[in-house]
Amino acid sequence: MTRERRPSDGDRVADAGRLFLGGSWVDPDGGHYEVVDPATEETVGRAPEASRDQVHAACAAAREAFGPWSRTSAGERAAILARAADIIRERLVPLAELARAETGATTGTARAMQVGVAAARFERYARVEPAEWAITPQVTEAGPLGRAGVTGALAVRQPVGVVTCITSYNNPWANAAGKVAPALAMGNTVVVKPAPQDPLSVYRMAEALEAAGAPPGVVNVVSGRSVEVGEAAVDCDDVDMVSFTGSTAVGRRIAEVCGRGMKRQLMELGGKGAAVVFDDADLRSAVAGVGSTFSFYSGQICTAPTRVLAQRGVYDELVAQLAAYAARLKVGDPRERDTVVGPVISAPHRDRVESYVELGRKEGASVVYGGERPPLDRGFYVSPTVLADCTNDMRVTREEIFGPVVVVVPFDEEEEGIALANDSDYGLIDYVWSGDVSRAFRVARRLRAGGVGINTVARNMEAPFGGFKKSGVGRDVGVYALHAYSEIQSIVWPG
């Protein structure tokens, strides 16, 4: 393994060709591959291809760094996270431009929802309050086997150890920061394996943490297109926990490996969010909420309300308004200020989304808007698409498409709407639109989903995030992320 000098700031902007292992920038054993701008199909930069040995070296470096890092004070760790947040904000414009080029997100989304959210997450975990990880002391009046006496017990949180963070391609900044920041705040060390489509931004994040003073080995980044890279980051004996965001199919394979090694896991997997729209709903609000599927990462978002269940009284009007809404959205170059819908991540993914639209036609759905490739010379674009006359047994209704495609299913009574919403393998985020707040909360409590939005698609970034069923295991965000990246230890003493 060849170790290079640490590049200067000026070098790093142009150089994305090295792995970050144990505090050093290291040449990859597997060479490099090109990262492609999905809007222009041009090369954004080169990404390093790690070998299995290099991934294991990253995990070993994280293991070596864990002891000293876990013994630093919470204040010292917080100071580094705060400096990282400041550095990211100082570099917002160039970092957002790189994120835009890698992901195809619009400039506004790249600045606010990608880099901006990442900075906010580092800042949030730089101000962890002791009450967020303390557990109330316990005192019992009887000792073991009921013998008289007072026994004190204290439950404390301890870091898990080395955490492998495997991130998704739709938001390399916010997704990675949502794992790395709370893990570091709790005293863990991390090995980050970014998605192969857009890893360059994650290396920029590592640079910010290095500049902020993160000690060698506390943060490591390895990338590659080979499945072997991800497998090595999961099965290495030095890894204590895996935090994964991605598809349910991949999550299942990771969980099997974690089970064999008794590794802790946090899984944020697929979604097919149901939006239950009752006939007393504010349709303008419902259409805008459902329409966010088209504009937010071009539908490449697991929390999107892609499965609309519309009560019969508003079904026709809702379909018409959704089609009209989609028709108003500009699809095109994400650098242009008036662009709302950018490209999807790659040509193969575009083909996959288009194949689902064609499948919907064959299953009997009506394409009321979209369904054709936009007339653009370059880029992996998919038109916002509305499929009506759907039933809950169609594949387009049941499977995660991960693109700007919304399906609409009618229902009659409240009980039927709830049953249809729950008739899914997924249970990440569902939504309810109703003018009757009491009914909206009643229905929300019966939906088998980790989160429910009532008359909104907005999220509270302190609310626990995670899914029921095949949408994941565990909860993160806010204080819940601190819980996710910690173990609970009991200390007992005689009174």
Side-chain angles (χ1 to χ4, degrees):
M1 183 167 60
T2 304
R3 291 190 179 273
E4 298 284 342
R5 66 177 176 84
R6 292 188 183 182
S8 67
D9 260 359
D11 290 332
R12 289 182 194 147
V13 172
D15 177 23
R18 296 185 179 99
L19 307 165
F20 189 52
L21 310 182
S24 296
W25 295 90
V26 179
D27 284 335
D29 290 344
H32 301 84
Y33 66 92
E34 292 184 345
V35 176
V36 174
D37 184 333
T40 65
E41 302 184 46
E42 296 174 353
T43 299
V44 176
R46 299 182 314 149
E49 182 82 39
S51 66
R52 186 176 183 85
D53 286 345
Q54 287 181 312
V55 177
H56 283 181
C59 298
R63 170 61 62 200
E64 183 177 355
F66 169 65
W69 177 249
S70 66
R71 291 191 293 272
T72 61
S73 70
E76 290 177 81
R77 299 196 294 264
I80 291 172
L81 296 180
R83 286 195 293 270
D86 290 341
I87 291 166
I88 291 168
R89 286 199 174 99
E90 289 168 2
R91 302 174 182 176
L92 173 64
V93 173
L95 293 178
E97 174 56 25
L98 174 61
R100 183 212 57 75
E102 281 195 288
T103 65
T106 62
T107 297
T109 295
R111 291 185 181 184
M113 302 305 297
Q114 295 195 7
V115 182
V117 167
R121 286 181 168 172
F122 278 108
E123 184 178 63
R124 188 264 181 260
Y125 293 105
R127 49 180 174 80
V128 172
E129 298 294 330
E132 291 186 304
W133 51 334
I135 301 171
T136 304
Q138 305 293 317
V139 176
T140 62
E141 294 297 329
L145 306 177
R147 288 194 291 269
V150 176
T151 301
L154 177 66
V156 297
R157 295 196 181 279
Q158 298 277 16
V160 177
V162 176
V163 181
T164 288
C165 304
I166 303 179
T167 64
S168 59
Y169 67 72
N170 58 344
N171 196 328
W173 274 98
N175 188 255
K179 299 177 185 297
V180 171
L184 296 185
M186 279 304 307
N188 302 283
T189 55
V190 298
V191 176
V192 187
K193 194 279 176 186
Q197 297 92 335
D198 49 13
L200 307 182
S201 289
V202 179
Y203 284 103
R204 301 287 84 80
M205 185 182 298
E207 290 167 6
L209 284 160
E210 181 191 25
V218 169
V219 178
N220 306 269
V221 183
V222 292
S223 58
R225 292 178 297 182
S226 170
V227 174
E228 183 182 64
V229 176
E231 290 176 344
V234 171
D235 66 20
C236 180
D237 289 340
D238 283 316
V239 172
D240 301 293
M241 175 180 174
V242 177
S243 177
F244 171 71
T245 298
S247 71
T248 298
V250 174
R252 184 181 290 113
R253 295 199 294 272
I254 290 174
E256 290 171 356
V257 176
C258 289
R260 291 195 294 271
M262 297 304 293
K263 301 176 192 288
R264 304 299 181 260
Q265 53 188 288
L266 178 62
M267 298 281 183
E268 196 262 280
L269 307 177
K272 190 73 174 180
V276 185
V277 183
F278 288 100
D279 53 14
D280 62 350
D282 178 344
L283 286 191
R284 176 177 293 185
S285 171
V287 168
V290 172
S292 67
T293 298
F294 306 132
S295 56
F296 200 45
Y297 304 126
S298 301
Q300 298 168 116
I301 182 76
C302 54
T303 59
T306 54
R307 185 168 56 110
V308 181
L309 308 175
Q311 197 163 20
R312 194 78 62 176
V314 294
Y315 174 81
D316 290 338
E317 181 61 23
L318 180 63
V319 169
Q321 288 195 29
L322 275 175
Y325 184 95
R328 293 193 295 269
L329 304 180
K330 178 187 173 183
V331 180
D333 190 336
R335 292 170 295 188
E336 297 178 1
R337 293 177 64 88
D338 58 343
T339 293
V340 179
V341 183
V344 296
I345 194 67
S346 66
H349 189 57
R350 176 188 59 191
D351 294 344
R352 178 181 181 275
V353 174
E354 289 179 339
S355 72
Y356 267 106
V357 176
E358 184 57 32
L359 174 63
R361 284 193 177 101
K362 292 178 180 178
E363 289 181 312
S366 302
V367 182
V368 296
Y369 186 82
E372 296 180 356
R373 188 174 297 183
L376 299 168
D377 294 335
R378 293 183 300 175
F380 312 128
Y381 294 95
V382 176
S383 293
T385 300
V386 179
L387 300 178
D389 303 321
C390 296
T391 59
N392 225 39
D393 59 350
M394 293 179 175
R395 285 182 58 193
V396 289
T397 308
R398 304 196 67 82
E399 298 177 11
E400 186 177 40
I401 298 174
F402 220 59
V405 180
V406 167
V407 303
V408 190
V409 178
F411 73 91
D412 291 300
E413 302 300 328
E414 179 179 310
E415 287 296 323
E416 182 188 6
I418 294 170
L420 289 171
N422 288 333
D423 181 18
S424 172
D425 290 336
Y426 298 108
L428 188 56
I429 305 289
D430 285 346
Y431 304 88
V432 179
W433 268 275
S434 173
D436 183 340
V437 176
S438 177
R439 173 165 69 174
F441 274 89
R442 180 176 69 243
V443 171
R445 291 293 300 272
R446 294 184 60 190
L447 296 180
R448 298 292 295 165
V452 181
I454 293 179
N455 295 329
T456 184
V457 293
R459 283 179 53 198
N460 182 315
M461 297 312 294
E462 290 297 313
F465 179 72
F468 288 10
K469 298 182 279 188
K470 294 181 181 179
S471 283
V473 176
R475 295 293 182 272
D476 66 359
V477 177
V479 67
Y480 298 91
L482 298 173
H483 299 175
Y485 293 100
S486 65
E487 296 273 27
I488 297 177
Q489 179 185 58
S490 296
I491 301 175
V492 180
W493 66 95

